[in-house]
Amino acid sequence: MAKNVADALNRLLADSYVLQLKTQNYHWNVTGPEFYQLHLLFEAQYNELFAGIDVIAEHIRTLGNGSPGTMKEFLALTSISEGTAKTASDMVADLAGSHAALAKTCQALIDAADDADDDASEDLAIQRQRVHKSAAWMLKATVSTSVTLPKAAPAPAKAKPTPKTAPKVAAAKAAPAKAESAPAPKKAAPKRKPASKPKAATKPAPKPAAEPAANTQNPRRRASG
Ligand SMILES: [Fe+2]
């Protein structure tokens, strides 16, 4: 295997491993109103990275080289910083930048593999590059919404509230509203036609006739038994 290809594969493995850990770190520690959305997005991305890491390492072994496999080796090889962001927006921005950096690491491998006519390594690098470009796009889209929405909303809310006159006007408007709703039940009261109900009470008398019929069935059974 060409040395340039071997070096590029080792860097891709190290970058991927550090980014996988950083993404899982943020999956655990992200907070805020977008917690659930980001928690799930980060989980999907670190799971994808975990699967990709295994493919890269085993490809290195397939080409006849030993694969880096310790954190010391990965930290020496990688260009990706470990996760230190504390806010959700900083985490998303950090991950987006790391995926963009990994897309460049993939490009270096693509170029090295192309020069060495190593189609398998080039194909692997192209597939990984597509993943990182997609992840960077998703993360950048999330950053743009989370940053603009909170800052734009509070501004108009502060300009509207006026001093002490505002609550009085609001109270005056609220009072008539209640008066309008109150008369409704009073209109129902003046109707004194419920007198017709007692007449109805006298009519249900014929119903009890059906009940004795039901009671007579048991005595007949007892008699026959
Ligand atoms: Fe989890």
Side-chain angles (χ1 to χ4, degrees):
M1 174 170 59
K3 186 177 185 304
N4 287 346
V5 174
D7 290 345
L9 278 168
N10 288 346
R11 283 196 297 274
L12 177 58
L13 178 63
D15 283 359
S16 301
Y17 207 97
V18 173
L19 181 53
Q20 186 267 321
L21 179 59
K22 174 156 66 177
T23 307
Q24 193 165 28
N25 173 356
Y26 292 165
H27 162 79
W28 294 327
N29 291 298
V30 67
T31 58
E34 295 176 334
F35 164 80
Y36 192 64
Q37 176 187 354
L38 294 178
H39 184 69
L40 295 182
L41 176 61
F42 295 165
E43 181 176 17
Q45 292 188 341
Y46 81 67
N47 280 331
E48 195 289 326
L49 284 162
F50 185 79
I53 287 164
D54 200 49
V55 173
I56 297 165
E58 292 177 0
H59 179 67
I60 291 171
R61 295 292 297 123
T62 300
L63 297 178
N65 279 7
S67 173
T70 67
M71 289 307 299
K72 184 178 180 180
E73 288 175 297
F74 290 146
L75 290 174
L77 286 165
T78 190
S79 60
I80 303 297
S81 64
E82 293 191 276
T84 57
K86 301 302 179 188
T87 66
S89 59
D90 285 348
M91 289 177 182
V92 172
D94 185 15
L95 293 177
S98 294
H99 279 283
L102 253 153
K104 292 181 179 178
T105 302
C106 290
Q107 188 59 52
L109 176 57
I110 291 169
D111 295 340
D114 186 50
D115 291 344
D117 292 329
D118 182 346
D119 293 343
S121 296
E122 186 174 359
D123 180 66
L124 172 61
I126 290 171
Q127 290 183 46
R128 295 308 304 165
Q129 187 181 55
R130 186 180 300 116
V131 168
H132 293 300
K133 285 185 174 181
S134 174
W137 160 62
M138 290 187 193
L139 289 161
K140 286 176 182 175
T142 303
V143 168
S144 63
T145 56
S146 65
V147 169
T148 55
L149 289 178
K151 288 182 178 179
K158 291 178 181 177
K160 291 181 179 178
T162 53
K164 296 177 181 179
T165 56
K168 292 179 180 177
V169 174
K173 291 179 180 178
K178 292 178 180 177
E180 290 175 357
S181 61
K186 290 179 180 177
K187 292 178 181 177
K191 296 177 182 177
R192 295 177 181 176
K193 295 179 180 179
S196 59
K197 291 181 179 178
K199 294 178 181 178
T202 56
K203 294 179 181 178
K207 292 181 180 178
E211 293 177 357
N215 293 335
T216 55
Q217 289 178 354
N218 290 335
R220 287 177 184 176
R221 290 178 183 176
R222 289 175 184 174
S224 62

